[in-house]
PDB file of all heavy atoms in Angstrom:
ATOM      1  N   GLU V1552      77.297  92.295 120.132  1.00 94.00           N
ATOM      2  CA  GLU V1552      75.848  91.952 120.178  1.00 94.00           C
ATOM      3  C   GLU V1552      75.103  93.181 120.344  1.00 94.00           C
ATOM      4  O   GLU V1552      75.694  94.342 120.429  1.00 94.00           O
ATOM      5  CB  GLU V1552      75.748  91.120 121.481  1.00 94.00           C
ATOM      6  CG  GLU V1552      76.432  89.819 121.384  1.00 94.00           C
ATOM      7  CD  GLU V1552      76.460  88.938 122.682  1.00 94.00           C
ATOM      8  OE1 GLU V1552      75.730  89.331 123.657  1.00 94.00           O
ATOM      9  OE2 GLU V1552      77.121  87.939 122.668  1.00 94.00           O
ATOM     10  N   GLY V1553      73.813  93.148 120.118  1.00 93.00           N
ATOM     11  CA  GLY V1553      72.896  94.279 120.300  1.00 93.00           C
ATOM     12  C   GLY V1553      72.271  94.466 118.953  1.00 93.00           C
ATOM     13  O   GLY V1553      72.341  93.671 117.907  1.00 93.00           O
ATOM     14  N   GLU V1554      71.668  95.612 118.874  1.00 95.00           N
ATOM     15  CA  GLU V1554      70.944  96.089 117.530  1.00 95.00           C
ATOM     16  C   GLU V1554      71.959  96.004 116.481  1.00 95.00           C
ATOM     17  O   GLU V1554      73.086  96.506 116.623  1.00 95.00           O
ATOM     18  CB  GLU V1554      70.383  97.477 117.715  1.00 95.00           C
ATOM     19  CG  GLU V1554      69.203  97.521 118.819  1.00 95.00           C
ATOM     20  CD  GLU V1554      68.067  96.631 118.215  1.00 95.00           C
ATOM     21  OE1 GLU V1554      67.681  96.729 117.103  1.00 95.00           O
ATOM     22  OE2 GLU V1554      67.543  95.949 119.151  1.00 95.00           O
ATOM     23  N   PRO V1555      71.601  95.656 115.291  1.00 95.00           N
ATOM     24  CA  PRO V1555      72.604  95.520 114.172  1.00 95.00           C
ATOM     25  C   PRO V1555      73.346  96.880 113.921  1.00 95.00           C
ATOM     26  O   PRO V1555      74.431  96.748 113.683  1.00 95.00           O
ATOM     27  CB  PRO V1555      71.717  95.187 112.979  1.00 95.00           C
ATOM     28  CG  PRO V1555      70.540  94.428 113.555  1.00 95.00           C
ATOM     29  CD  PRO V1555      70.248  95.052 114.885  1.00 95.00           C
ATOM     30  N   LEU V1556      72.678  97.994 113.936  1.00 96.00           N
ATOM     31  CA  LEU V1556      73.205  99.220 113.595  1.00 96.00           C
ATOM     32  C   LEU V1556      74.180  99.787 114.829  1.00 96.00           C
ATOM     33  O   LEU V1556      74.957 100.677 114.593  1.00 96.00           O
ATOM     34  CB  LEU V1556      72.274 100.285 113.345  1.00 96.00           C
ATOM     35  CG  LEU V1556      71.592 100.122 111.970  1.00 96.00           C
ATOM     36  CD1 LEU V1556      70.507 101.252 111.753  1.00 96.00           C
ATOM     37  CD2 LEU V1556      72.530 100.176 110.840  1.00 96.00           C
ATOM     38  N   GLU V1557      74.198  99.073 115.932  1.00 95.00           N
ATOM     39  CA  GLU V1557      74.882  99.362 117.084  1.00 95.00           C
ATOM     40  C   GLU V1557      76.012  98.352 117.289  1.00 95.00           C
ATOM     41  O   GLU V1557      76.690  98.439 118.389  1.00 95.00           O
ATOM     42  CB  GLU V1557      74.108  99.538 118.317  1.00 95.00           C
ATOM     43  CG  GLU V1557      72.953 100.586 118.264  1.00 95.00           C
ATOM     44  CD  GLU V1557      73.580 101.945 117.790  1.00 95.00           C
ATOM     45  OE1 GLU V1557      74.620 102.488 118.338  1.00 95.00           O
ATOM     46  OE2 GLU V1557      73.035 102.625 116.986  1.00 95.00           O
ATOM     47  N   SER V1558      76.238  97.357 116.471  1.00 95.00           N
ATOM     48  CA  SER V1558      77.248  96.400 116.513  1.00 95.00           C
ATOM     49  C   SER V1558      78.166  96.703 115.366  1.00 95.00           C
ATOM     50  O   SER V1558      77.964  97.340 114.413  1.00 95.00           O
ATOM     51  CB  SER V1558      76.753  95.016 116.415  1.00 95.00           C
ATOM     52  OG  SER V1558      76.271  94.616 115.224  1.00 95.00           O
ATOM     53  N   LYS V1559      79.373  95.991 115.382  1.00 96.00           N
ATOM     54  CA  LYS V1559      80.406  96.231 114.377  1.00 96.00           C
ATOM     55  C   LYS V1559      80.245  95.668 113.027  1.00 96.00           C
ATOM     56  O   LYS V1559      80.816  96.044 112.062  1.00 96.00           O
ATOM     57  CB  LYS V1559      81.775  95.742 114.970  1.00 96.00           C
ATOM     58  CG  LYS V1559      81.817  94.265 115.213  1.00 96.00           C
ATOM     59  CD  LYS V1559      83.153  93.806 115.723  1.00 96.00           C
ATOM     60  CE  LYS V1559      83.175  92.213 115.834  1.00 96.00           C
ATOM     61  NZ  LYS V1559      84.640  91.878 116.332  1.00 96.00           N
ATOM     62  N   TYR V1560      79.326  94.695 112.993  1.00 94.00           N
ATOM     63  CA  TYR V1560      79.290  93.786 111.818  1.00 94.00           C
ATOM     64  C   TYR V1560      78.897  94.448 110.537  1.00 94.00           C
ATOM     65  O   TYR V1560      79.235  94.050 109.308  1.00 94.00           O
ATOM     66  CB  TYR V1560      78.326  92.599 111.962  1.00 94.00           C
ATOM     67  CG  TYR V1560      78.963  91.736 113.171  1.00 94.00           C
ATOM     68  CD1 TYR V1560      78.300  91.620 114.406  1.00 94.00           C
ATOM     69  CD2 TYR V1560      80.073  91.007 112.902  1.00 94.00           C
ATOM     70  CE1 TYR V1560      78.936  90.981 115.457  1.00 94.00           C
ATOM     71  CE2 TYR V1560      80.752  90.321 114.014  1.00 94.00           C
ATOM     72  CZ  TYR V1560      80.126  90.243 115.182  1.00 94.00           C
ATOM     73  OH  TYR V1560      80.651  89.524 116.242  1.00 94.00           O
ATOM     74  N   PHE V1561      78.081  95.539 110.571  1.00 96.00           N
ATOM     75  CA  PHE V1561      77.720  96.275 109.280  1.00 96.00           C
ATOM     76  C   PHE V1561      78.773  97.208 108.844  1.00 96.00           C
ATOM     77  O   PHE V1561      78.826  97.781 107.764  1.00 96.00           O
ATOM     78  CB  PHE V1561      76.427  97.106 109.577  1.00 96.00           C
ATOM     79  CG  PHE V1561      75.157  96.367 109.499  1.00 96.00           C
ATOM     80  CD1 PHE V1561      73.911  96.880 109.755  1.00 96.00           C
ATOM     81  CD2 PHE V1561      75.077  95.003 109.090  1.00 96.00           C
ATOM     82  CE1 PHE V1561      72.778  96.303 109.830  1.00 96.00           C
ATOM     83  CE2 PHE V1561      73.857  94.217 109.144  1.00 96.00           C
ATOM     84  CZ  PHE V1561      72.816  94.850 109.516  1.00 96.00           C
ATOM     85  N   TYR V1562      79.862  97.453 109.712  1.00 97.00           N
ATOM     86  CA  TYR V1562      80.814  98.475 109.430  1.00 97.00           C
ATOM     87  C   TYR V1562      82.225  97.892 109.224  1.00 97.00           C
ATOM     88  O   TYR V1562      83.011  98.513 108.474  1.00 97.00           O
ATOM     89  CB  TYR V1562      80.803  99.457 110.625  1.00 97.00           C
ATOM     90  CG  TYR V1562      79.518 100.006 110.887  1.00 97.00           C
ATOM     91  CD1 TYR V1562      78.935  99.631 112.130  1.00 97.00           C
ATOM     92  CD2 TYR V1562      78.763 100.881 110.093  1.00 97.00           C
ATOM     93  CE1 TYR V1562      77.637 100.115 112.377  1.00 97.00           C
ATOM     94  CE2 TYR V1562      77.636 101.435 110.464  1.00 97.00           C
ATOM     95  CZ  TYR V1562      76.872 101.041 111.512  1.00 97.00           C
ATOM     96  OH  TYR V1562      75.738 101.415 111.934  1.00 97.00           O
ATOM     97  N   VAL V1563      82.676  96.833 109.836  1.00 97.00           N
ATOM     98  CA  VAL V1563      84.016  96.454 109.728  1.00 97.00           C
ATOM     99  C   VAL V1563      84.314  95.893 108.460  1.00 97.00           C
ATOM    100  O   VAL V1563      83.595  95.063 107.831  1.00 97.00           O
ATOM    101  CB  VAL V1563      84.296  95.457 110.918  1.00 97.00           C
ATOM    102  CG1 VAL V1563      85.726  94.720 110.742  1.00 97.00           C
ATOM    103  CG2 VAL V1563      84.295  96.132 112.266  1.00 97.00           C
ATOM    104  N   VAL V1564      85.539  96.054 107.967  1.00 98.00           N
ATOM    105  CA  VAL V1564      86.089  95.621 106.587  1.00 98.00           C
ATOM    106  C   VAL V1564      87.077  94.510 107.140  1.00 98.00           C
ATOM    107  O   VAL V1564      88.000  94.777 107.920  1.00 98.00           O
ATOM    108  CB  VAL V1564      86.823  96.651 105.812  1.00 98.00           C
ATOM    109  CG1 VAL V1564      87.384  95.970 104.524  1.00 98.00           C
ATOM    110  CG2 VAL V1564      85.909  97.788 105.506  1.00 98.00           C
ATOM    111  N   HIS V1565      86.779  93.318 106.600  1.00 98.00           N
ATOM    112  CA  HIS V1565      87.665  92.111 107.131  1.00 98.00           C
ATOM    113  C   HIS V1565      89.150  92.276 106.521  1.00 98.00           C
ATOM    114  O   HIS V1565      89.236  92.959 105.441  1.00 98.00           O
ATOM    115  CB  HIS V1565      87.090  90.818 106.698  1.00 98.00           C
ATOM    116  CG  HIS V1565      85.836  90.454 107.530  1.00 98.00           C
ATOM    117  ND1 HIS V1565      85.022  89.340 107.230  1.00 98.00           N
ATOM    118  CD2 HIS V1565      85.185  91.089 108.439  1.00 98.00           C
ATOM    119  CE1 HIS V1565      84.161  89.229 108.130  1.00 98.00           C
ATOM    120  NE2 HIS V1565      84.187  90.274 108.832  1.00 98.00           N
ATOM    121  N   SER V1566      90.072  91.627 107.065  1.00 98.00           N
ATOM    122  CA  SER V1566      91.391  91.841 106.705  1.00 98.00           C
ATOM    123  C   SER V1566      91.673  91.309 105.275  1.00 98.00           C
ATOM    124  O   SER V1566      92.460  91.911 104.438  1.00 98.00           O
ATOM    125  CB  SER V1566      92.368  90.892 107.663  1.00 98.00           C
ATOM    126  OG  SER V1566      92.142  89.529 107.418  1.00 98.00           O
ATOM    127  N   GLU V1567      90.873  90.248 104.858  1.00 98.00           N
ATOM    128  CA  GLU V1567      91.190  89.768 103.398  1.00 98.00           C
ATOM    129  C   GLU V1567      90.769  90.775 102.428  1.00 98.00           C
ATOM    130  O   GLU V1567      91.338  91.048 101.413  1.00 98.00           O
ATOM    131  CB  GLU V1567      90.360  88.469 103.300  1.00 98.00           C
ATOM    132  CG  GLU V1567      90.645  87.317 104.223  1.00 98.00           C
ATOM    133  CD  GLU V1567      89.725  87.352 105.402  1.00 98.00           C
ATOM    134  OE1 GLU V1567      89.605  88.364 106.046  1.00 98.00           O
ATOM    135  OE2 GLU V1567      89.190  86.298 105.668  1.00 98.00           O
ATOM    136  N   MET V1568      89.531  91.408 102.717  1.00 98.00           N
ATOM    137  CA  MET V1568      88.939  92.476 101.776  1.00 98.00           C
ATOM    138  C   MET V1568      89.908  93.599 101.794  1.00 98.00           C
ATOM    139  O   MET V1568      90.252  94.203 100.731  1.00 98.00           O
ATOM    140  CB  MET V1568      87.588  92.726 102.294  1.00 98.00           C
ATOM    141  CG  MET V1568      86.811  93.697 101.282  1.00 98.00           C
ATOM    142  SD  MET V1568      86.433  92.843  99.736  1.00 98.00           S
ATOM    143  CE  MET V1568      85.069  91.786 100.307  1.00 98.00           C
ATOM    144  N   ASN V1569      90.358  93.980 103.004  1.00 98.00           N
ATOM    145  CA  ASN V1569      91.366  95.110 103.092  1.00 98.00           C
ATOM    146  C   ASN V1569      92.545  94.869 102.192  1.00 98.00           C
ATOM    147  O   ASN V1569      93.028  95.747 101.484  1.00 98.00           O
ATOM    148  CB  ASN V1569      91.711  95.484 104.493  1.00 98.00           C
ATOM    149  CG  ASN V1569      90.897  96.656 105.010  1.00 98.00           C
ATOM    150  OD1 ASN V1569      90.460  97.580 104.272  1.00 98.00           O
ATOM    151  ND2 ASN V1569      90.565  96.610 106.286  1.00 98.00           N
ATOM    152  N   ALA V1570      93.135  93.657 102.375  1.00 98.00           N
ATOM    153  CA  ALA V1570      94.409  93.395 101.542  1.00 98.00           C
ATOM    154  C   ALA V1570      94.046  93.376 100.052  1.00 98.00           C
ATOM    155  O   ALA V1570      94.930  93.871  99.373  1.00 98.00           O
ATOM    156  CB  ALA V1570      94.858  92.022 101.998  1.00 98.00           C
ATOM    157  N   ILE V1571      92.939  92.891  99.646  1.00 98.00           N
ATOM    158  CA  ILE V1571      92.626  92.963  98.286  1.00 98.00           C
ATOM    159  C   ILE V1571      92.387  94.383  97.729  1.00 98.00           C
ATOM    160  O   ILE V1571      92.920  94.743  96.753  1.00 98.00           O
ATOM    161  CB  ILE V1571      91.267  92.035  98.069  1.00 98.00           C
ATOM    162  CG1 ILE V1571      91.655  90.527  98.173  1.00 98.00           C
ATOM    163  CG2 ILE V1571      90.706  92.278  96.565  1.00 98.00           C
ATOM    164  CD1 ILE V1571      90.474  89.542  98.227  1.00 98.00           C
ATOM    165  N   LEU V1572      91.642  95.111  98.533  1.00 97.00           N
ATOM    166  CA  LEU V1572      91.423  96.463  98.159  1.00 97.00           C
ATOM    167  C   LEU V1572      92.712  97.478  98.292  1.00 97.00           C
ATOM    168  O   LEU V1572      92.730  98.457  97.567  1.00 97.00           O
ATOM    169  CB  LEU V1572      90.260  97.138  99.024  1.00 97.00           C
ATOM    170  CG  LEU V1572      88.962  96.399  98.809  1.00 97.00           C
ATOM    171  CD1 LEU V1572      87.912  96.881  99.888  1.00 97.00           C
ATOM    172  CD2 LEU V1572      88.333  96.758  97.438  1.00 97.00           C
TER     173      LEU V1572
END
Side-chain angles (χ1 to χ4, degrees):
E1552 297 176 9
E1554 294 297 316
L1556 292 174
E1557 300 305 317
S1558 72
K1559 67 181 181 177
Y1560 296 109
F1561 283 172
Y1562 308 107
V1563 169
V1564 180
H1565 289 178
S1566 72
E1567 305 94 306
M1568 188 70 74
N1569 261 329
I1571 291 168
L1572 295 172

